Amino acid sequence: MEKKTTDKKKKQGKSLTKKITGWLHLWLGLVSGIIVLVVTLSGTMFVFCDEIIDLCGGSAKYVQAQANTKKMSPEELLAKFHQQVPDRKAFYFDTYKEADRTFRVASATKPPKDKNVPKAGKPKGRGPRGVFAYHYLDPYTGKITGSTKSYEFFYIVAHIHAQLLAGKFGKTVVGVASIIFFVQLIGGLILWWPKKWNKTTRTAAFKIKSGTKWRRKNYDFHNVFGFYSLLPAVFITITGLIMAYKILTDLTQEAFGGIADAHEIAEQYEPKFDPEKKTLSYADFVDKNFKKFPEARQFRMSIPRNDSATVYNVVTAKFIGLKSLASGKSMEANKYTGEEIQYPKEVIMHEVIEHMNFDLHVGYWGGMFGKIFTFVIGIICTSLPVTGFLIWWGRRKKSPKKSTEVKNIHQHRKEHHEQPA
């Protein structure tokens, strides 16, 4: 008799745990659902930004290669660019080894210098740099072959994902919603876990039952695919939280050998501005780095905002995307010598950890496989608030009479099983 009482208490304890978890899972999901949906959808869209940007470039990415004709220097091409689009300011350029590839310029609309200019007269766009765009130039003539604002599109998508285009307040909202989503994932695992493991519960837990109505299929999709995506979803959420909260960023840096105030320390190792010193040309940087990395096909270089800047960010690789690179190197270079700035080990590790966390979050860790994997997980995570809402709405719309009948059937079965043999 005492044993039966103990077993009954254990069952009640489990039931209470699931009831509390279920209540939290429901209401936290309803409160944060829209935000989680927007954040996960925008993050999923960003995964293939490089491929979409290249697709939008179309035929403008190529020209007819001219035999025995040398390409114009980056300085000459940038001058041609600003002549054709004087309302824009370039902030980096891409050049390629292939003779038929165009010269690409990343630029933004210039904000008016006069602060008294009414808002109606200002260029539309987010932030002080205005609207982003890519322009493609014929490297032999300097003529613009085409342009795309896909850069601006993904800039907006990234800022929706990080802060809902609402600055610090939006960043706080996204951070809180991400924490709730993390709790939801753990709560979902508790609710998914069967009371007993047998053939029936295993089938229900790991497979979507065929031949059922859409409500049951929706329930199975939420549970089964939610379970399969659990670990990578938790991992993506954690890497996102590391980027969102400085305290987590600093802890991660310290844990893996980086340093929190790396940018302040890095400035001490950068060359001082000297107007008497000769600066290397952009063409010198291109030649120097293509020779240093013979396997590379693409070179990117930042354009400093003012003459007093002494460090250029240069990237040389087989492929350079919006926020990614394949088989190459990104570095800060001395504008007078072209050599890489020799930062302390902790500062270098800071950059390595920062980029690695971003790559893990976005799916750049495993090439195309990593992108596809992250995209699929993103689609599932985007669907969870929707399928969860439909489960709640379906239960809410059930008729009281039908619910009472179901409860009576379960009660009758319970009483039948509890009768002594």
Side-chain angles (χ1 to χ4, degrees):
M1 185 70 180
E2 189 176 343
K3 188 178 179 182
K4 285 184 179 180
T5 307
T6 306
D7 291 342
K8 194 173 181 181
K9 284 182 180 179
K10 283 183 181 178
K11 286 181 182 180
Q12 286 176 348
K14 287 182 180 180
S15 178
L16 181 62
T17 301
K18 287 210 171 187
K19 279 182 180 179
I20 293 170
T21 304
W23 185 87
L24 286 171
H25 195 74
L26 168 64
W27 290 105
L28 287 175
L30 291 174
V31 168
S32 66
I34 294 295
I35 305 299
V36 170
L37 176 66
V38 171
V39 171
T40 52
L41 179 60
S42 56
T44 304
M45 290 170 65
F46 192 84
V47 171
F48 286 107
C49 63
D50 294 334
E51 288 76 12
I52 295 171
I53 287 171
D54 268 3
L55 187 65
C56 291
S59 60
K61 301 195 303 293
Y62 298 94
V63 292
Q64 186 68 39
Q66 299 183 19
N68 303 319
T69 305
K70 191 177 179 181
K71 289 183 179 181
M72 297 174 71
S73 70
E75 285 87 349
E76 291 171 328
L77 289 165
L78 288 169
K80 289 281 188 181
F81 167 76
H82 286 117
Q83 285 173 11
Q84 294 172 80
V85 279
D87 63 324
R88 304 192 70 86
K89 182 174 176 60
F91 52 88
Y92 73 72
F93 67 84
D94 290 295
T95 188
Y96 302 82
K97 268 188 180 178
E98 288 82 0
D100 62 344
R101 283 301 301 267
T102 51
F103 182 84
R104 187 171 73 171
V105 179
S107 67
T109 48
K110 294 178 183 178
K113 292 181 180 180
D114 187 358
K115 294 181 180 179
N116 296 319
V117 173
K119 288 183 178 179
K122 292 184 180 181
K124 293 179 182 179
R126 270 61 49 191
R129 281 182 165 179
V131 179
F132 294 122
Y134 277 128
H135 284 75
Y136 300 88
L137 281 73
D138 186 323
Y140 303 101
T141 65
K143 184 181 178 181
I144 291 176
T145 60
S147 65
T148 171
K149 288 185 179 176
S150 52
Y151 192 153
E152 173 70 8
F153 173 76
F154 283 107
Y155 175 83
I156 294 170
V157 168
H159 280 72
I160 289 172
H161 182 71
Q163 53 177 252
L164 304 174
L165 296 178
K168 289 182 180 179
F169 174 74
K171 188 176 180 180
T172 301
V173 172
V174 170
V176 171
S178 299
I179 293 169
I180 291 174
F181 185 63
F182 178 80
V183 173
Q184 289 287 81
L185 291 170
I186 304 305
L189 178 63
I190 294 170
L191 294 173
W192 170 88
W193 200 273
K195 288 182 180 179
K196 292 182 180 179
W197 286 101
N198 52 46
K199 187 178 179 181
T200 304
T201 56
R202 279 197 298 271
T203 302
F206 297 108
K207 293 181 181 179
I208 294 175
K209 192 175 181 181
S210 60
T212 56
K213 292 183 178 180
W214 75 267
R215 281 183 178 173
R216 177 53 195 252
K217 274 192 167 53
N218 178 72
Y219 178 84
D220 285 347
F221 188 94
H222 187 81
N223 280 358
V224 175
F225 283 97
F227 169 75
Y228 284 131
S229 65
L230 177 67
L231 283 178
V234 166
F235 197 75
I236 291 169
T237 305
I238 290 171
T239 52
L241 288 170
I242 288 171
M243 287 188 283
Y245 290 101
K246 189 177 184 303
I247 185 170
L248 294 178
T249 303
D250 294 347
L251 285 171
T252 304
Q253 288 290 345
E254 291 175 10
F256 292 96
I259 191 167
D261 53 348
H263 297 293
E264 290 78 6
I265 294 173
E267 289 178 1
Q268 301 171 19
Y269 292 83
E270 293 171 358
K272 302 297 180 184
F273 175 66
D274 186 350
E276 301 299 320
K277 276 188 178 181
K278 185 181 178 182
T279 304
L280 290 182
S281 68
Y282 295 159
D284 290 334
F285 274 93
V286 174
D287 294 339
K288 187 181 182 71
N289 282 278
F290 272 148
K291 286 177 182 176
K292 190 175 180 179
F293 302 99
E295 298 295 320
R297 313 308 301 171
Q298 184 180 352
F299 174 83
R300 175 175 295 173
M301 183 170 178
S302 64
I303 300 170
R305 293 186 182 183
N306 49 62
D307 293 337
S308 61
T310 59
V311 177
Y312 296 156
N313 176 253
V314 297
V315 189
T316 318
K318 281 189 175 180
F319 172 81
I320 307 168
L322 194 62
K323 290 285 185 180
S324 66
L325 65 91
S327 302
K329 182 177 177 62
S330 173
M331 66 179 183
E332 305 300 317
N334 185 320
K335 80 168 184 177
Y336 302 115
T337 65
E339 296 299 322
E340 183 177 3
I341 307 294
Q342 297 301 311
Y343 294 117
K345 182 182 176 182
E346 294 79 6
V347 173
I348 295 171
M349 279 305 298
H350 175 96
E351 294 301 311
V352 170
I353 294 163
E354 189 172 83
H355 286 293
M356 188 176 292
N357 187 73
F358 180 84
D359 290 349
L360 290 170
H361 184 71
V362 185
Y364 295 165
W365 49 269
M368 185 54 66
F369 170 78
K371 287 186 175 186
I372 293 171
F373 181 79
T374 305
F375 182 81
V376 171
I377 297 302
I379 291 293
I380 294 172
C381 290
T382 302
S383 73
L384 291 177
V386 178
T387 53
F389 176 81
L390 291 174
I391 291 170
W392 170 74
W393 188 258
R395 288 174 178 173
R396 182 176 173 273
K397 299 295 284 183
K398 277 184 180 179
S399 63
K401 184 179 178 181
K402 189 172 181 180
S403 297
T404 304
E405 287 176 358
V406 172
K407 284 181 181 178
N408 288 338
I409 290 169
H410 285 308
Q411 183 63 29
H412 175 74
R413 287 176 178 172
K414 185 179 177 182
E415 288 173 357
H416 175 74
H417 287 297
E418 287 179 353
Q419 286 179 0

